[in-house]
Structures are given as C-alpha cells and as structure tokens.
Amino acid sequence: MSLKYPWVLWAFLIYVPLLWWYFKRNRRSTPSLGLSTLAPFTNLPRSWKEYLMKFNFILKLLAMGFLIVALSRPQTYDSHRKSHVEGTDIVLALDISGSMASKDFEPSRFQAAKDVAMKFVNQRDNDNMGLVVFAGESLSLMPLTYDRAALINALQTVEMGDLTDGTAIGDGLASAINRLVSGKAKSKSVILLTDGSNNAGEVPPITAAQIAKKNGIKVYTIGIGTDGSIKITDPYGFSTTTLETKIDEASLKKIAEETGGKFFRAKDEKMLQKVFKEIDSLEKTRLDVENYTRTDEAFFPWMLAALCCYALSMLLRYTVLRRIP
C-alpha cells in the first residue's frame, strides 16, 4: 500500500497543540464546592467517569488521525510484469601474436585490447559470451558462458607466447564459429581483433567467413595498430626483434562484408574504445516488457474507522458524560 498524497500526514502535527490545550484545560477545570471541611471526602475513590472522559478525548484524536490518513489517499496496487530478454551469443577472437606487444598503444596493443574487451564484457549483462585466442594456431579458451567473472579472469590471465607465433586469422575465426554453432540465441556474432595478416593456420579466412555466413553469424573485424616496423623486446629484456606489420584491411573488410558485419580500424586507444562502443550499440539485446498495474483506493476503511470513533465519542458525550450547565 502507498499514499497518493503523503504530505497530508503533516496534519498530524495538530496533535501537539491539541494535547497541550487538553492537559492545560483539565488542570484548571477541577470541580469545587465550598465546605467547612474535606475530611469526609479524603478516601473516596476516583469516579469511572473521570477515566471515561479521557477515553472520550482519545476517541476524538483517533477519529482525527483516521481522517488524516483517509485524506492522504492510501492505495493498493495489483501489478503484473512480464519481460522477455533475448540475449546474443558473442565470441571474442583475440590475436596474441608477438606483434601485439608493439608500444604504439599504451602500454601495448595487447594490453589495450584486453582492457577494452573487459569493459565491453562487463556491459553485456544478458549475453552468452566466449573467448578464442589465436597466433600461429588457435585455442578456444572459454566456452559460451554467462559467468562474467570467469570470462574476465580468462582475459586477464591470457598472455602472448601461450601459442606458437604467427597470425592464423582463419583458424581463430573457425574456432569462434565452432563455439557459436551450438549457441541457442537468434543473434550470433564474432568480434575478431588482429594487427596483422593471415600467415599461418590451415583454414583460409574467406573460407571461415563463408562458414560463418552459412550459420547466420556476423563477424566484426578490428584492425588494431599502425603499419610499419616495430621493435619487440622479449619479456626478460635480453633481445630485441624487429617485425614488419601490415594489417590486411582488404581481407578483414571482405570477412565483415561476407557475414553482414563491419570492419573497423583502430590506430590508438581512443579509437579502439569507440569501436567497441559502436559494436555494443549494433549488437544490442532486445528487451520486451509487458506491464499491467491496477490501482485500488484503500481510504474507505480509514474513513469508516474515523466515523465510528467520532460517533462513539458523541454518544458518550450526550449520554453518560452529559454535563449539567
């Protein structure tokens, strides 16, 4: 139950002056009679009418209180809510090849990609998500799951060097598709992030794209980083290797177009964040909510209680508590 006009309850403050007036009035209204001595009346008990007069005042206060509550319009609600959430199945396919250690992103392409991907995962509450990593080969690191903590933990723990070096885009995409085929959502998509071109693996990228299209899977491809020579230092700082990187934009665009997805190019951290925000808006979860609310007025019982208290007060006032002028 709720009140439509809760501010009306401030009227209860009128009880303060009423109680002050009642006690002050009764203190001065003690009946008196001139007698030579009060000794015969010393041990007389209090009259029951004295207590009844106090009860009559309480009845008036109750009547006023019930009336105030009735005026505040108490209401009850009969609410029915039905919602339908249709989540999407999404697999992140992340390139963990050696070139992802490039410092053109801060602190590196690889770490920047992981950070943005983790934020993306946190925002997708209703989706079934998985993780695939690839370099010279691919690895399905996390199956489709609603467990956000497990997926983020997998992203945090994955490191470059876990797989043979290289860039097997086709194999990575094929592994992601394999995970999505068993998913039950109507909308399925792969977010494939890489900084190179396909130079390893057994599945050609375009073949993987055709398989994705056949299974109704959209592929969003992201080319991360700038083209050119990059220097990569091993984790122990003993040796430095120079690599030539060039993102195969044509191939990535073709994969996206073939599957109904979209190609993005991210050359810095801000652009990468914008890319994931755009993908987030493109792959929104559908939410159908049906609301039904019935409101019933509940003031009548309070009004009835106020009338009953007032009627009883008046009955006592003009019968047993009637005063003789």
Side-chain angles (χ1 to χ4, degrees):
M1 186 178 71
S2 64
L3 303 176
K4 187 172 183 179
Y5 307 127
W7 51 268
V8 175
L9 297 181
W10 284 102
F12 275 108
L13 291 175
I14 200 172
Y15 275 26
V16 176
L18 283 175
L19 289 170
W20 175 83
W21 170 82
Y22 177 79
F23 288 114
K24 184 178 180 180
R25 174 177 172 270
N26 281 298
R27 201 166 42 237
R28 294 184 177 182
S29 62
T30 304
S32 61
L33 180 65
L35 295 171
S36 59
T37 177
L38 296 176
F41 304 98
T42 302
N43 298 319
L44 286 178
R46 283 190 169 188
S47 171
W48 59 271
K49 287 189 177 181
E50 185 179 349
Y51 294 104
L52 198 59
M53 288 179 66
K54 290 183 173 61
F55 176 69
N56 192 38
F57 179 71
I58 293 173
L59 282 175
K60 291 177 180 177
L61 292 181
L62 287 174
M64 185 177 295
F66 290 142
L67 180 61
I68 291 172
V69 174
L71 291 175
S72 68
R73 293 280 298 278
Q75 297 174 330
T76 58
Y77 296 91
D78 182 9
S79 180
H80 171 71
R81 181 184 179 92
K82 182 181 179 181
S83 62
H84 173 73
V85 176
E86 182 184 302
T88 62
D89 289 345
I90 301 176
V91 171
L92 296 171
L94 179 63
D95 187 347
I96 62 170
S97 60
S99 58
M100 288 290 286
S102 176
K103 302 293 184 181
D104 54 348
F105 281 63
E106 187 63 38
S108 67
R109 292 177 183 176
F110 180 65
Q111 190 59 49
K114 289 206 301 181
D115 291 343
V116 176
M118 283 188 283
K119 290 180 182 178
F120 177 80
V121 168
N122 268 326
Q123 295 170 355
R124 309 291 299 190
D125 294 331
N126 301 311
D127 299 322
N128 209 6
M129 303 185 74
L131 175 64
V132 168
V133 294
F134 64 92
E137 54 189 339
S138 67
L139 173 65
S140 183
L141 200 60
M142 180 65 64
L144 289 174
T145 179
Y146 290 103
D147 190 340
R148 294 290 173 269
L151 187 56
I152 290 174
N153 183 62
L155 277 165
Q156 288 176 331
T157 55
V158 67
E159 295 293 342
M160 291 179 297
D162 290 346
L163 300 174
T164 305
D165 201 19
T167 307
I169 295 175
D171 283 13
L173 181 54
S175 295
I177 294 168
N178 187 49
R179 283 298 183 190
L180 286 169
V181 167
S182 60
K184 296 181 180 180
K186 292 182 180 179
S187 176
K188 301 177 182 180
S189 57
V190 176
I191 301 175
L192 188 146
L193 189 148
T194 183
D195 69 341
S197 56
N198 190 74
N199 57 21
E202 300 178 357
V203 182
I206 191 60
T207 301
Q210 291 169 350
I211 296 172
K213 180 181 179 181
K214 185 178 179 180
N215 287 278
I217 299 170
K218 288 185 288 186
V219 182
Y220 296 97
T221 54
I222 304 173
I224 181 173
T226 54
D227 296 333
S229 299
I230 60 170
K231 291 184 178 181
I232 300 174
T233 304
D234 70 272
Y236 304 101
F238 294 129
S239 62
T240 301
T241 306
T242 301
L243 293 177
E244 289 290 332
T245 62
K246 181 174 177 60
I247 297 173
D248 187 357
E249 288 194 14
S251 179
L252 294 177
K253 286 179 180 178
K254 193 170 184 180
I255 291 171
E257 292 172 359
E258 182 76 18
T259 61
K262 191 173 181 179
F263 168 73
F264 302 91
R265 183 68 189 270
K267 295 184 178 180
D268 56 42
E269 293 92 332
K270 288 185 178 180
M271 289 178 67
L272 184 60
Q273 291 172 2
K274 289 180 180 179
V275 166
F276 271 89
K277 283 183 180 179
E278 184 171 347
I279 294 174
D280 183 53
S281 65
L282 291 171
E283 286 295 321
K284 276 296 181 186
T285 300
R286 184 173 66 88
L287 179 67
D288 296 330
V289 179
E290 179 184 342
N291 291 321
Y292 167 74
T293 302
R294 186 180 69 186
T295 304
D296 292 324
E297 298 289 345
F299 70 88
F300 182 75
W302 298 92
M303 185 66 74
L304 183 61
L307 290 173
C308 289
C309 288
Y310 184 76
L312 181 57
S313 173
M314 290 297 100
L315 180 64
L316 293 174
R317 171 71 177 80
Y318 292 103
T319 55
V320 295
L321 296 179
R322 184 176 58 181
R323 295 184 179 183
I324 300 174

